[in-house]
Amino acid sequence: GESVGLHLPTLSVQEGDNSIINCAYSNSASDYFIWYKQESGKGPQFIIDIRSNMDKRQGQRVTVLLNKTVKHLSLQIAATQPGDSAVYFCAENSGGSNYKLTFGKGTLLTVNP
Amino acid sequence: NAGVTQTPKFQVLKTGQSMTLQCAQDMNHNSMYWYRQDPGMGLRLIYYSASEGTTDKGEVPNGYNVSRLNKREFSLRLESAAPSQTSVYFCASGWGATDTQYFGPGTRLTVL
């Protein structure tokens, strides 16, 4: 079946380094993608999104890249800070009138001071 | 602007008991959602409401019922709780089908 998955379940980086979190998706019909951050004991928090007519989108310290050819999504965090430590999820929507987001299982990012 | 709020934050039930989880949003969103989150399983959609007056099943609807009370409120009911329903439940809301969903803080439910 269709699924969204992550290449790495855990990622440990040094404070100040750049972080890259990857996500593979298999539904070629997906046309909207979101990255969420979830801190321990809290709900998922929207970080950035991208639609399939784009291949890059930038926010504050974050960039999402979409490669439709290989069905790959990545989240880049610049100058990673201890407050960035969390689980990061990618989610996809297969478009049209489909209201359902399919979530990946998450990557735990740990930032070492 | 509180966003999405959920009550209660924590709940412990015995098998067979019933309860209703409440969710409200103040962002005037059209659609609302209920998810459960289990270790190693990610977020799974239980039910959603595309607009006021409509509800539809998600990926794991068995054992649950929902009510879209008005545009702001969307409740989730467990009629006869089972240990398999021990989970963290999140409510979310959004403008429409291909738009961002904003999540509440969650309800941590334990069924003994």
Side-chain angles (χ1 to χ4, degrees), chain A residues 97-101, chain B residues 30-35 45-51 54-59 61 66 68 74 76 92 97 101:
Chain A
S97 60
N98 180 9
Y99 282 77
K100 302 175 186 177
L101 286 178
Chain B
N30 296 319
S31 56
M32 297 186 74
Y33 310 81
W34 277 106
Y35 290 88
L45 182 65
I46 304 171
Y47 270 94
Y48 69 98
S49 171
S51 60
T54 69
T55 60
D56 285 284
K57 294 179 180 179
E59 183 183 353
V66 291
R68 183 75 182 267
F74 189 38
L76 178 72
Q101 295 180 18

Side-chain angles (χ1 to χ4, degrees), chain A residues 1-52:
Chain A
E2 304 290 356
S3 65
V4 174
L6 295 170
H7 294 306
L8 296 173
T10 61
L11 179 63
S12 183
V13 301
Q14 292 298 123
E15 182 177 358
D17 287 352
N18 296 333
S19 302
I20 300 176
I21 301 171
N22 297 301
C23 179
Y25 66 95
S26 57
N27 186 350
S28 57
S30 293
D31 64 358
Y32 180 58
F33 304 87
I34 311 172
W35 279 101
Y36 286 95
K37 172 187 180 183
Q38 187 174 25
E39 296 175 277
S40 181
K42 297 185 179 180
Q45 176 188 359
F46 170 81
I47 302 173
I48 193 167
D49 59 1
I50 190 167
R51 298 194 185 273
S52 59

